[in-house]
Amino acid sequence: MNKVMDFLRDSLAQATVLWWNFFDWLAVVEWRQLFITWFLAMAFGLALTLPEPAIWYIIISYGVKVLAGGKRKAELVAREATAEASVAVLERRLLEAQMATLQAQVEPHFLFNTLALIGQLIETDPPQAARIHMHLIDYLRSTLPQMRAAGGGTLGRQVQLSRAYLAIMQARMKERLAVGFDVPAHLEHTPFPPMMLQILIENAIKHGLEPKIEGGRIDVSARLVDDTMHVDVRDNGAGFCMHAGEGGVGLANIRERLFLLFGARAELVIEMPPEGGALASLRIPYSMQETR
């Protein structure tokens, strides 16, 4: 008796699963495809001289499709959209973790080199060592709040961080590095993804200016073009290979992160100006900044 009851319960459970699968299929299937199944069912029914099951199938499927199919389809679409949104959130969090890892890898190297430089200059040029020490403090003051902030930084904070970083690099490269900034004050409070500007500046120095004996100049600027904010890093160096080493990885991370944050409405454009050097331009929809 127990085996019979177990069998009946299993059969009922399986029938329930099959019914809801059939129900979901009716909700999303196109009418043309449903008409084809009706034709095939009626053809087999007439061939087997059993038209009644085919007729009941047509009646039941039509009723379910008309009465409840629309609502069920909306529920399935909403469920699928929620699942896709959850995946997008997870991908964004993963990329943020990757960017944090990249920052954790880059900063110790930069800090150790800077501290080593300060140690050398303490013996030979104490005033210069003191200046670099102050620039390093400014750099850390700009970096730590952004590392702790959940929503990222603003363009002004990224520029502040870049100024401190470039001041240290100027102390190391001396007359081989000139720097210019042209960022309007009304854009400084605009939300801006952390580390992107830093990566572009590091690329410009490593692949553009350091290979040149005489060094060169880096200019950072920002402007609005219609509803898009352009943040540019221009150098007059040797240019850089977009696919080489850490530079290629950094640019790939920027492009992937821009896509996750803004979709197809943001981009990283790399140009080689006729006069030489390189221009890296981050182009972000300004109207979406507050929803980032």
Side-chain angles (χ1 to χ4, degrees), residues 17-246:
V17 172
L18 292 175
W19 163 252
W20 283 111
N21 287 340
F22 174 66
F23 191 89
D24 290 345
W25 174 77
L26 284 176
V28 298
V29 70
E30 299 293 335
W31 278 104
R32 182 175 179 275
Q33 294 174 316
L34 188 58
F35 291 154
I36 294 174
T37 66
W38 289 351
F39 172 78
L40 294 176
M42 184 58 71
F44 279 109
L46 293 176
L48 298 174
T49 65
L50 293 171
E52 290 84 0
I55 293 173
W56 278 111
Y57 164 72
I58 294 173
I59 294 174
I60 292 174
S61 60
Y62 176 80
V64 171
K65 180 74 171 174
V66 171
L67 298 178
K71 179 181 178 181
R72 184 61 177 172
K73 183 176 182 178
E75 292 175 351
L76 293 174
V77 171
R79 183 190 303 173
E80 182 178 355
T82 301
E84 291 178 353
S86 299
V87 171
V89 170
L90 291 175
E91 289 179 344
R92 181 180 300 182
R93 289 177 179 175
L94 175 61
L95 191 55
E96 293 292 340
Q98 292 173 343
M99 292 300 294
T101 301
L102 177 62
Q103 185 173 2
Q105 292 173 347
V106 171
E107 286 191 345
H109 179 71
F110 169 70
L111 292 176
F112 292 149
N113 286 343
T114 303
L115 291 173
L117 177 62
I118 293 174
Q120 294 173 3
L121 291 174
I122 287 176
E123 299 292 335
T124 60
D125 191 349
Q128 179 71 344
R131 284 191 292 271
I132 297 177
H133 178 251
M134 292 304 301
H135 292 319
L136 180 59
I137 291 176
D138 292 338
Y139 177 85
L140 293 176
R141 282 176 177 169
S142 301
T143 302
L144 292 179
Q146 296 177 62
M147 293 176 64
R148 295 170 180 171
T154 63
L155 178 59
R157 289 178 179 174
Q158 296 303 306
V159 169
Q160 182 183 6
L161 176 65
S162 298
R163 286 183 185 274
Y165 171 80
L166 285 170
I168 295 174
M169 295 305 299
Q170 281 183 304
R172 290 172 56 182
M173 298 177 65
K174 299 186 182 300
E175 66 278 359
R176 295 182 61 240
L177 176 59
V179 174
F181 283 87
D182 182 14
V183 179
H186 67 274
L187 294 179
E188 290 186 353
H189 298 289
T190 304
F192 192 81
M195 285 297 293
M196 290 190 182
L197 183 58
Q198 180 85 0
I199 290 174
L200 295 183
I201 291 175
E202 290 175 359
N203 267 343
I205 292 177
K206 181 177 180 179
H207 300 284
L209 302 187
E210 286 188 341
K212 293 182 63 176
I213 297 177
E214 68 275 21
R217 180 181 179 88
I218 291 179
D219 287 286
V220 179
S221 62
R223 69 189 190 280
L224 288 180
V225 179
D226 297 327
D227 59 348
T228 301
M229 183 171 70
H230 291 212
V231 179
D232 300 337
V233 176
R234 181 189 296 270
D235 70 78
N236 63 350
F240 57 84
C241 177
M242 292 178 285
H243 307 288
E246 296 177 0

